[in-house]
Amino acid sequence: MRAGSLRRKGVLFDVDGTLVDSAYIHTLAWWQAFRQSGFDVPMARIHRCVGMGGARLVDHLLPDGRDTAVDEDVLAAHSGIFGTYWPALRPLDGARDLLAQCCESGLAVALASSARDQDLKALRSSLAADSFIDAATSANDAKESKPEPDILVAALRAVGIEASDAVYVGDAVWDVYAAARLDIPTIGVTCGGTSEAELREAGAVEVYAGPRDLLDNLRDSAIGRLLAG
């Protein structure tokens, strides 16, 4: 937590596809990684799984009867390929301003990401918003990845707030499912490529086009209600 701050409510944010325009970069990196190991997995199938942890995504998309030793090869290949795109990472419009507004409104701000530590560092660098972020969790902080809630639990602990005093913002159905297991309301954003209908069907309490749209409607959003409550 920032020095001298005591924040009793907070907002947890997914990062890939929610704050940084990287969901399709991950899709391409996974597609190339699968091909390197001899698997031709359609990009559409891959994109629908982005947001899961890497090991879960690989297990979900590859055939059940495979030699699972190949999984580590795919994970390593994805890591290397995605790393080549670090210099190209860009925040989505309004992302930094949204984090700043939440912080300045008195809310704890935590990044609850399934990314590896080194990828999360690159994503945070592209955001240039560390002064507005109280804590961040990565794949290393959770035994199970989304849709399990472990990463969100770690983020709540890191900022010292209860699930009942939090809102989550994410772009994938896996984000919504994970938050629902803790009864945390999720604000969905479609900037990661998942439709409003899919996010609402998964249980999102409201859906916006992206960080700027959410920021423009912050007072009337679930975050605004959290502040007013």
Side-chain angles (χ1 to χ4, degrees), residues 126-159:
S126 74
L127 283 168
D130 277 358
S131 58
F132 309 122
I133 298 168
D134 291 292
T137 59
S138 70
N140 289 20
D141 297 303
K143 181 179 179 181
E144 298 290 341
S145 64
K146 300 169 190 173
E148 296 302 320
D150 300 28
I151 287 169
L152 279 70
V153 171
L156 291 169
R157 288 175 179 166
V159 291

Side-chain angles (χ1 to χ4, degrees), residues 55-192:
R56 190 183 295 270
L57 179 148
V58 170
D59 185 59
H60 186 79
L61 289 172
L62 291 186
D64 291 339
R66 71 188 182 281
D67 177 0
T68 55
V70 77
D71 293 17
E72 288 301 321
D73 294 335
V74 174
L75 287 164
H78 168 266
S79 176
I81 295 165
F82 185 74
T84 67
Y85 288 95
W86 286 353
L89 293 173
R90 294 293 182 271
L92 287 154
D93 179 40
R96 187 177 189 276
D97 294 340
L98 176 60
L99 295 173
Q101 185 60 54
C102 289
C103 168
E104 291 164 4
S105 296
L107 295 170
V109 174
L111 306 183
S113 170
S114 297
R116 302 168 310 140
D117 277 344
Q118 56 266 48
D119 289 336
L120 185 57
K121 288 177 183 177
L123 293 161
R124 289 183 69 165
S125 178
S126 74
L127 283 168
D130 277 358
S131 58
F132 309 122
I133 298 168
D134 291 292
T137 59
S138 70
N140 289 20
D141 297 303
K143 181 179 179 181
E144 298 290 341
S145 64
K146 300 169 190 173
E148 296 302 320
D150 300 28
I151 287 169
L152 279 70
V153 171
L156 291 169
R157 288 175 179 166
V159 291
I161 62 173
E162 300 295 327
S164 57
D165 294 319
V167 170
Y168 189 39
V169 183
D171 71 298
V173 296
W174 317 110
D175 297 319
V176 185
Y177 296 151
R181 296 184 184 187
L182 300 177
D183 291 325
I184 298 174
T186 300
I187 296 173
V189 287
T190 59
C191 45

